[in-house]
Amino acid sequence: MITDMHFDIIESQLAEIEKNFFQEDTPHDYFLNGKTGLALYYFYRARISEDEQIYGKANILINEVLDQLGTPGRFYGGSFTLGISGLTSALLIMKEEEFIDFSDQDLAGLDHFVFSWAKEELDIMNTDYLHGAAGALHYFIERAGLGNQGCADMASELIDIFYSLALKDDQGIRFLNKFYKNRYPEFTNLGVSHGLIGVLLILMKAYEKGIRTELCLEMIKGGMKYLEQIYFNKLFPQSGQSRFFVSKNEATDELQYTDRLAWCYGDLNVALIFSKAGKLLNNDKFSDIGLEIGLGTMQRTTAAQTEIRTPFFCHGTSGTAMVYHSLYAITGENRFFESYEYWKSETYNMLDTDQLKLMSSGVLSFLDGPIGLAFFLLTEQYGQKLKWEKYFLL
């Protein structure tokens, strides 16, 4: 339970962030780098502060976004990061949190746009979560879970296509990702943001909601088989801290490693998926592997060992803290809660506005800027899980 003192500290930090970063206009309406994300932030702020002026600001922002739909440059395609599935995901959060209301029919046109876009992206093997079809699939699964049959049907069709594209062999199952096609023409990735673990977590959601359960289960088991053989074959680098590679060139077998602990990719992602799979499949071996990998990451706390140098969400202290909290929620292991507390404390230690300006990749960058950090602080201030988290911690 958050104390009054901590509540007030966070309140002052959020006010400082708003004053220094959120006063500029933005030419984009994206969820993760534009006006949509800022509107959602202000809705949360209005509810906890009970400030009608802030609530009015949130309403103005989201209405401006909706009024300018179709204006060139406001969104990019159907992606979660910069496109329409990011908008529809944010609108769904707003509805679930009871900030706004709308009917299924109100989003029907946007849903069909996202669906068509996702199929086109899968035609070119863009299976990316942040920038490709997996982000759209995640949105449809969330809508289906709230009773929208049309979105359930679209999710089912996309799952069928993912299955047809899965790379299946004796090693298991994974997915090529051509979002980075210029750099990695035959590239597979293990992370949440761009790779296998992100897709598997989404398929686990579909399985839990009863969508294409047989295909989902086959892909989940195949994906876990692939990760398990990496674990037991110990394809570890000659130096460094990481236990798992980040990406692999399927044509050359070249492996890319990083020592990063983060929300986006790295060993912490692998600990999360093994823990989640162990619980979902009632598989003690997976749970034990997840625990072993997760506890191993706790020994890494320096910048050299973790590549963590900012308080931001994607690969900074706040996102890392939230992943450890997810591991704690899945496993009940108190040592993961201790790591969450450690990285939360490190986040607070970095809340210097002048330094944030130097480190930020953009005023409204959720992943590498102050707004993602602000969302983390909102969760801390509320002292409970909020709906926005399920789109990032899956």
Side-chain angles (χ1 to χ4, degrees):
M1 178 69 77
I2 189 167
T3 66
D4 289 343
M5 182 181 70
H6 286 147
F7 184 97
D8 291 341
I9 290 171
I10 294 171
E11 182 72 20
S12 66
Q13 290 292 342
L14 288 175
E16 195 71 13
I17 287 172
E18 289 164 16
K19 181 178 72 175
N20 284 279
F21 294 102
F22 299 163
Q23 304 301 316
E24 302 178 20
D25 194 17
T26 170
H28 304 297
D29 290 341
Y30 316 143
F31 184 5
L32 298 198
N33 200 355
K35 199 174 286 185
T36 298
L38 186 57
L40 179 60
Y41 168 79
Y42 277 128
F43 274 124
Y44 277 119
R45 284 285 279 146
R47 188 168 71 185
I48 201 164
S49 65
E50 299 182 343
D51 188 324
E52 287 297 320
Q53 187 175 0
I54 297 177
Y55 182 77
K57 186 182 294 189
N59 265 315
I60 289 170
L61 284 168
I62 198 59
N63 282 321
E64 287 177 353
V65 170
L66 297 175
D67 288 344
Q68 295 188 71
L69 271 178
T71 302
R74 307 303 297 191
F75 286 103
Y76 176 76
S79 76
F80 177 65
T81 306
L82 306 178
I84 297 298
S85 71
L87 169 63
T88 52
S89 296
L91 291 173
L92 196 58
I93 296 168
M94 293 175 192
K95 181 174 182 177
E96 287 192 84
E97 295 283 18
E98 299 183 343
F99 299 140
I100 64 173
D101 195 19
F102 54 82
S103 70
D104 285 343
Q105 191 57 37
D106 290 333
L107 294 190
L110 296 178
D111 290 343
H112 286 291
F113 172 83
V114 171
F115 179 60
S116 297
W117 176 86
K119 290 199 295 183
E120 291 173 0
E121 293 302 302
L122 288 175
D123 284 342
I124 58 172
M125 299 290 286
N126 182 5
T127 58
D128 205 270
Y129 176 59
L130 289 180
H131 305 290
L137 173 59
H138 187 214
Y139 161 68
F140 288 126
I141 290 168
E142 289 295 333
R143 282 290 297 284
L146 297 174
N148 186 299
Q149 186 56 49
C151 286
D153 293 340
M154 287 185 272
S156 295
E157 187 169 339
L158 291 178
I159 288 169
D160 289 345
I161 300 173
F162 266 92
Y163 181 77
S164 72
L165 297 176
L167 183 58
K168 313 177 190 76
D169 56 26
D170 290 342
Q171 298 177 77
I173 283 178
R174 62 270 194 210
F175 301 88
L176 293 175
N177 182 354
K178 293 297 183 72
F179 177 73
Y180 290 111
K181 56 184 175 294
N182 294 327
R183 290 168 53 201
Y184 304 106
E186 298 295 336
F187 152 83
T188 59
N189 181 284
L190 299 188
V192 165
S193 53
H194 306 300
L196 175 62
I197 290 172
V199 175
L200 291 179
L201 286 167
I202 291 167
L203 293 174
M204 287 177 181
K205 282 195 172 185
Y207 177 77
E208 290 173 320
K209 296 179 189 300
I211 304 170
R212 300 296 279 142
T213 52
E214 291 185 8
L215 277 190
C216 287
L217 188 60
E218 182 177 342
M219 286 189 279
I220 292 165
K221 288 183 175 179
M224 295 310 301
K225 178 182 178 181
Y226 183 71
L227 293 171
E228 188 179 11
Q229 62 87 23
I230 296 171
Y231 174 79
F232 282 112
N233 288 340
K234 301 189 183 305
L235 301 176
F236 304 158
Q238 296 301 308
S239 62
Q241 306 289 325
S242 57
R243 302 282 298 275
F244 283 77
F245 60 81
V246 173
S247 65
K248 177 183 179 182
N249 187 317
E250 294 288 346
T252 66
D253 287 335
E254 180 184 358
L255 303 177
Q256 178 191 10
Y257 285 92
T258 177
D259 284 337
R260 175 162 285 163
L261 289 185
W263 167 79
C264 50
Y265 54 81
D267 284 2
L268 208 50
N269 279 196
V270 186
L272 184 68
I273 194 66
F274 270 106
S275 299
K276 179 82 173 177
K279 189 170 184 178
L280 180 73
L281 303 176
N282 196 27
N283 186 313
D284 291 340
K285 180 169 67 172
F286 288 167
S287 295
D288 290 343
I289 292 173
L291 186 65
E292 189 266 334
I293 296 169
L295 293 178
T297 65
M298 292 174 56
Q299 313 308 314
R300 297 154 60 183
T301 56
T302 68
Q305 294 169 325
T306 63
E307 299 185 17
I308 296 174
R309 295 178 174 87
T310 78
F312 300 136
F313 188 85
C314 187
H315 38 263
T317 58
S318 59
T320 300
M322 293 195 78
V323 178
Y324 275 116
H325 197 278
S326 290
L327 280 169
Y328 168 68
I330 293 168
T331 66
E333 172 54 61
N334 285 327
R335 283 172 287 183
F336 290 141
F337 189 82
E338 292 170 6
S339 285
Y340 153 71
E341 291 281 0
Y342 172 80
W343 289 109
K344 180 177 72 172
S345 176
E346 289 296 292
T347 300
Y348 291 162
N349 290 339
M350 292 188 187
L351 292 179
D352 178 279
T353 303
D354 291 334
Q355 289 299 312
L356 293 182
K357 288 178 180 178
L358 294 174
M359 292 185 285
S360 172
S361 296
V363 172
L364 295 180
S365 173
F366 192 104
L367 299 178
D368 296 306
I371 195 164
L373 169 62
F375 269 87
F376 170 80
L377 294 174
L378 281 174
T379 293
E380 290 298 309
Q381 193 176 39
Y382 273 78
Q384 64 187 56
K385 191 173 180 65
L386 302 175
K387 299 292 184 184
W388 71 267
E389 296 176 54
K390 64 182 177 180
Y391 286 88
F392 297 91
L393 301 180
L394 304 177

